[in-house]
């Protein structure tokens, strides 16, 4: 056995002398140190040795393995140095060659549309307010007038992060950006609780729903929430704001519509649709019937105003929540929402 080990060592070292390139070096590694090499086979057959033989053979086998590994390391370093030297010798500086193009990254279409929305809303006087993605049930639902067990919760199938021991207040991934309304109102109202200042904000961010994925539904998507609270704010302010947004995004002739709807946190409530440019209003897999639903909106419900620290007898407000990818789909004529997170360069490089 010891003789066999000596031979394995000698054969290995001799063969390494003959190695001249990377491929041969790798082939050598597989043949002499790989799983089916003679040395590894010998390790595998260890169980068949007698108790007396085992320590001696074991020690020698480990020695041989170390010797071969060290020789491999040394040879590979030698070859690396030699290659480096060759490339330095071969390098000539040709100042007439064109420069190498530096690869430039670009912004994701969703980021581009969000930035455009911040700019437009900024011009209208809305500030960006950021709020958390992991929320309590209380903020995501209860303070927005979805009591525990309310059927409207079914509109937003929820990912739960932690339920145990939390009773009716589990931790959830936010299903919409609306909980940020409560955070923002409470923060602003705290500045002057008897006479809270007005609020005019947009709240962008990722939201999560356990959805059936299709051409216009993802399980993770960006929303941009808007909230304006103050004295004398009306539904026509809301309509004007969203219609103006559509014109700034898509031009003066864009057609929009408001459809009566229901959300527990607004009253009255509406859905805001933009004419689908992908099919020219004829109806396609993206829009369904010629109009693409961009967001929900309405007048902030008195319960929500009160939960935010605003007296609904004095203050009114409007709110909306838009899907930024839906806007990007219209803007860039993207006919399937699934392209956004696939990270396919053939898609991303077009923006
Ligand atoms: C809401 O999420 C409400 N929070 C919106 C709101 C805010 C209403 C403030 C009133 C006041 P809704 O579930 O309809 O509503 O979603 C709003 C928008 O998000 C949709 O119009 C759509 O543009 C987008 N959206 C909804 N679900 C998905 C999805 N699965 N994938 C991509 N976008 C979606």
């Amino acid at each position: 056995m010891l003789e066999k080990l000596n031979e394995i060592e000698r054969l290995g070292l001799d063969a390494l002398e003959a190695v001249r390139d990377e491929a041969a070096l790798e082939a050598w590694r597989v043949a002499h140190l790989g799983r089916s090499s003679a040395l590894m086979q010998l390790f595998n057959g260890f169980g068949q040795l007698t108790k007396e033989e085992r320590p001696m053979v074991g020690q020698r086998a480990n020695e041989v393995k170390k010797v071969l590994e060290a020789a491999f390391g040394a040879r590979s370093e030698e070859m690396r140095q030699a290659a480096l030297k060759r490339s330095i010798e071969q390098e000539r500086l040709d100042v007439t060659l064109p420069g190498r193009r530096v690869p430039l990254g670009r912004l994701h279409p969703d980021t581009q549309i969000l930035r455009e929305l911040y700019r437009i809303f900024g011009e209208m006087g809305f500030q960006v307010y950021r709020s958390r993605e992991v929320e309590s049930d209380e903020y995501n639902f209860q303070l927005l007038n979805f009591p525990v067990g309310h059927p409207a919760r079914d509109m937003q199938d929820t990912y739960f992060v932690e339920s145990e021991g939390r009773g009716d207040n589990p931790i959830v991934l936010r299903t919409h950006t609306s909980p940020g309304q409560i955070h923002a109102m409470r923060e602003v109202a705290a500045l002057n609780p008897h006479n809270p200042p007005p609020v005019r904000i947009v709240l962008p961010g990722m939201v999560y729903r356990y959805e059936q994925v299709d051409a216009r539904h993802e399980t993770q998507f960006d929303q941009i929430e808007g909230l304006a609270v103050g004295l004398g704010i009306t539904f026509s302010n809301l309509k004007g704001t969203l219609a103006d947004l559509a014109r700034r995004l898509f031009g003066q002739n864009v057609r929009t519509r408001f459809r009566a709807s229901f959300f527990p946190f607004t009253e009255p409530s509406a859905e805001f649709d933009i004419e689908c440019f992908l099919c020219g209003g004829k109806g396609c897999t993206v829009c369904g019937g010629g109009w693409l639903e961009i967001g929900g909106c309405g007048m902030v419900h008195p319960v929500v105003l009160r939960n935010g620290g605003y007296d609904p007898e004095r203050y009114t407000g409007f709110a909306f929540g838009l899907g930024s990818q839906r806007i990007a789909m219209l803007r860039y004529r993207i006919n399937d929402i699934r392209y956004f997170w696939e990270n396919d360069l053939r898609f991303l490089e077009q923006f």
Side-chain angles (χ1 to χ4, degrees):
M1 197 57 88
L2 289 178
E3 249 165 53
K4 184 149 185 236
L5 277 165
N6 291 340
E7 188 182 318
I8 288 176
E9 183 182 54
R10 188 172 46 73
L11 284 177
L13 292 175
D14 285 353
L16 195 59
E17 287 292 313
V19 163
R20 291 277 168 272
D21 58 31
E22 289 283 329
L25 187 66
E26 177 56 15
W28 182 92
R29 192 190 61 73
V30 172
H32 296 272
L33 287 167
R35 215 178 293 160
S36 45
S37 63
L39 182 62
M40 291 304 153
Q41 298 286 342
L42 200 131
F43 272 107
N44 292 342
F46 231 62
Q48 284 143 26
L49 297 178
T50 64
K51 235 185 180 167
E52 291 72 37
E53 280 177 315
R54 258 182 233 173
M56 223 189 336
V57 175
Q59 194 189 356
R60 179 68 184 129
N62 276 324
E63 256 172 41
V64 172
K65 183 160 175 267
K66 279 207 188 105
V67 167
L68 292 182
E69 280 171 352
F72 171 79
R75 186 85 185 110
S76 111
E77 180 58 20
E78 245 171 63
M79 284 172 52
R80 204 179 66 79
Q81 293 294 346
L84 197 67
K85 198 161 156 228
R86 271 199 308 280
S87 83
I88 292 172
E89 280 166 7
Q90 279 167 8
E91 193 168 299
R92 306 249 187 288
L93 187 61
D94 182 350
V95 290
T96 64
L97 280 177
R100 287 195 197 109
R101 190 186 284 271
V102 181
L104 273 186
R106 52 192 95 201
L107 293 177
H108 192 280
D110 189 42
T111 307
Q112 292 190 29
I113 210 79
L114 279 169
R115 291 196 178 176
E116 186 168 349
L117 290 167
Y118 303 154
R119 184 184 56 73
I120 293 175
F121 282 121
E123 284 170 11
M124 293 184 189
F126 288 82
Q127 278 178 293
V128 174
Y129 180 91
R130 294 198 183 264
S131 165
R132 60 189 70 171
E133 288 181 24
V134 181
E135 274 293 359
S136 61
D137 185 281
E138 185 188 15
Y139 274 84
N140 195 76
F141 292 119
Q142 294 165 36
L143 292 168
L144 293 169
N145 204 25
F146 286 93
V148 173
H150 192 287
R153 287 179 177 226
D154 291 349
M155 299 196 298
Q156 302 182 358
D157 281 330
T158 309
Y159 286 111
F160 291 87
V161 176
E162 198 182 317
S163 307
E164 221 170 281
R166 295 194 54 93
D168 286 337
N169 195 20
I171 304 291
V172 301
L173 293 184
R174 68 176 171 192
T175 55
H176 52 171
T177 40
S178 302
Q181 290 187 25
I182 303 283
H183 289 294
M185 278 192 278
R186 288 187 168 178
E187 199 175 312
V188 179
L191 299 172
N192 186 355
H194 296 296
N195 210 2
V199 176
R200 207 188 295 169
I201 52 162
V202 283
L203 288 122
M206 205 54 98
V207 305
Y208 305 84
R209 291 187 198 173
Y210 185 58
E211 287 263 27
Q212 177 78 43
V213 173
D214 64 23
R216 59 173 183 271
H217 292 95
E218 259 292 1
T219 52
Q220 174 178 347
F221 54 98
D222 266 305
Q223 283 191 340
I224 182 161
E225 187 94 3
L227 176 70
V229 177
L231 301 173
I233 291 184
T234 65
F235 197 88
S236 33
N237 296 142
L238 168 63
K239 282 188 83 172
T241 303
L242 290 182
D244 189 29
L245 169 73
R247 282 194 293 269
R248 290 181 191 232
L249 280 168
F250 300 112
Q252 287 303 311
N253 298 325
V254 64
R255 295 206 304 155
T256 55
R257 71 175 185 190
F258 290 82
R259 275 181 294 125
S261 185
F262 171 80
F263 297 101
F265 39 93
T266 45
E267 181 59 37
S269 306
E271 304 276 6
F272 177 60
D273 299 343
I274 296 185
E275 170 188 27
C276 179
F277 314 129
L278 299 171
C279 60
K282 287 200 271 304
C284 62
T285 50
V286 176
C287 64
W291 295 85
L292 188 59
E293 181 194 312
I294 298 295
C297 60
M299 297 305 289
V300 182
H301 196 287
V303 168
V304 176
L305 283 172
R306 187 167 294 117
N307 289 339
Y310 285 77
D311 176 2
E313 299 292 327
R314 287 177 60 209
Y315 291 88
T316 52
F318 69 70
F320 53 81
L322 314 176
S324 65
Q325 270 116 322
R326 298 274 179 92
I327 298 173
M329 286 168 84
L330 285 177
R331 162 52 74 87
Y332 302 120
R333 296 179 184 270
I334 298 167
N335 60 11
D336 197 314
I337 198 167
R338 285 166 284 202
Y339 287 125
F340 282 89
W341 307 147
E342 266 174 3
N343 272 346
D344 186 332
L345 283 179
R346 288 170 301 177
F347 171 74
L348 296 174
E349 282 176 348
Q350 294 178 52
F351 301 95

